[in-house]
Amino acid sequence: MTTKVVPGMLIAVPDGIAVAREAASRLAKLILDALDAQGQASVALSGGGTPGPAYALLREDARIDWSKVDVFFVDERAVPPDSPRSNFRMVQEALLDHVSIPPDRIHRMRGEAADRGAAAREYASQIRARVRHAETGIPEFDVAVYGVGDDGHTASLFPGEPSVDVTDRLVIDVPSAAKREARLSITVPLIEHTRAALIVAVGKGKQEALERIWSTSGDVHHTPGRVLRGVRGSITWVIDKAAGGLG
């Protein structure tokens, strides 16, 4: 029998609408806590359909002073920023276009760059310049939103690929595979040094992946989402009951 241990706090709600509301509320509190503690905050956001509704609700929270928030991205596809598949475009339309955030605090990954290796190094430099560092020298996002794919991936760290083993870089160029575009993605050291991780998952398609992530044993190469178990800060999972196999 497989033993499961959910790292951090698990919040299971009835459906995707409730996930969006709960995630937006939790995300707002985490950002406000960081602003209260140090007067500014660094936030890394994921794309995809699951967190989008939460970002749309987050923009309605008037308590957040976005002029003091740096927004980064967890990953990005190799598409222009105006592409319907762009994570940046989704976050921009759901959140950034609706809050008073200075342009120099929005840090977009240049997924469309011809030289994605150079774009990855450039993005790592931005992170090092704007995000406070741990004693280890690794930058620590105050808040980060992560998703989980049906195949068990998180960020753009995919099963069976060497990206999960990269520890000497903060951002990498992830090659294309099959029908999947190339990507840019943050790496395991940045994920592990997150000060507050909010992980969202919706739908029965996520159940098996979450089971593998929560199992006390397993191969990170088979299920890269298991790296989320290593987050050193707080971990909050906001899922619907279908994703948790609860109904």
Side-chain angles (χ1 to χ4, degrees):
M1 180 176 179
T2 301
T3 303
K4 294 186 298 181
V5 175
V6 180
M9 178 187 299
L10 174 62
I11 301 168
V13 295
D15 53 32
I17 294 173
V19 167
R21 290 173 180 160
E22 185 68 30
S25 175
R26 297 273 172 178
L27 186 52
K29 184 180 185 305
L30 292 171
I31 295 171
L32 289 167
D33 286 348
L35 290 172
D36 287 344
Q38 65 215 19
Q40 58 183 355
S42 58
V43 179
L45 301 179
S46 290
T50 301
Y55 300 153
L57 291 174
L58 180 65
R59 76 196 194 200
E60 299 176 5
D61 196 317
R63 298 173 297 168
I64 300 173
D65 183 352
W66 289 97
S67 70
K68 298 178 181 178
V69 179
D70 280 287
V71 174
F72 293 87
F73 289 79
V74 168
D75 61 347
E76 182 57 278
R77 298 179 178 90
V79 297
D82 59 353
S83 167
R85 291 186 55 73
S86 166
N87 289 341
F88 170 77
R89 175 176 171 176
M90 186 278 284
V91 174
Q92 182 182 46
E93 292 180 348
L95 174 64
L96 301 177
D97 279 348
H98 306 275
V99 296
S100 298
I101 181 169
D104 66 349
R105 285 193 177 270
I106 301 172
H107 308 280
R108 182 179 74 83
M109 283 180 161
R110 294 194 307 110
E112 79 284 6
D115 186 342
R116 282 186 299 277
R121 292 189 294 273
E122 173 189 290
Y123 204 69
S125 295
Q126 289 183 45
I127 293 172
R128 288 194 178 279
R130 300 297 289 261
V131 179
R132 61 177 173 161
H133 291 55
E135 292 181 1
T136 59
I138 303 297
E140 298 178 322
F141 290 123
D142 291 309
V143 185
V145 178
Y146 298 109
V148 174
D150 292 0
D151 61 356
H153 82 268
T154 195
S156 281
L157 308 179
F158 293 97
E161 299 184 9
S163 53
V164 76
D165 295 315
V166 176
T167 59
D168 61 345
R169 285 166 284 167
L170 301 180
V171 184
I172 55 172
D173 168 19
V174 180
S176 60
K179 297 181 180 180
R180 191 190 76 215
E181 305 103 326
R183 313 280 184 101
L184 293 178
S185 178
I186 66 171
T187 58
V188 172
L190 273 177
I191 294 172
E192 290 183 337
H193 281 77
T194 305
R195 295 178 63 83
L198 181 69
I199 305 156
V200 293
V202 172
K204 187 171 180 59
K206 309 291 185 181
Q207 181 183 349
E208 182 182 352
L210 290 175
E211 294 279 345
R212 299 202 311 266
I213 291 170
W214 293 339
S215 173
T216 54
S217 62
D219 185 352
V220 72
H221 298 93
H222 179 233
T223 310
R226 289 183 60 81
V227 303
L228 295 166
R229 300 179 63 88
V231 170
R232 301 183 183 191
S234 68
I235 309 173
T236 304
W237 305 79
V238 180
I239 68 171
D240 69 346
K241 290 184 177 180
L246 303 173

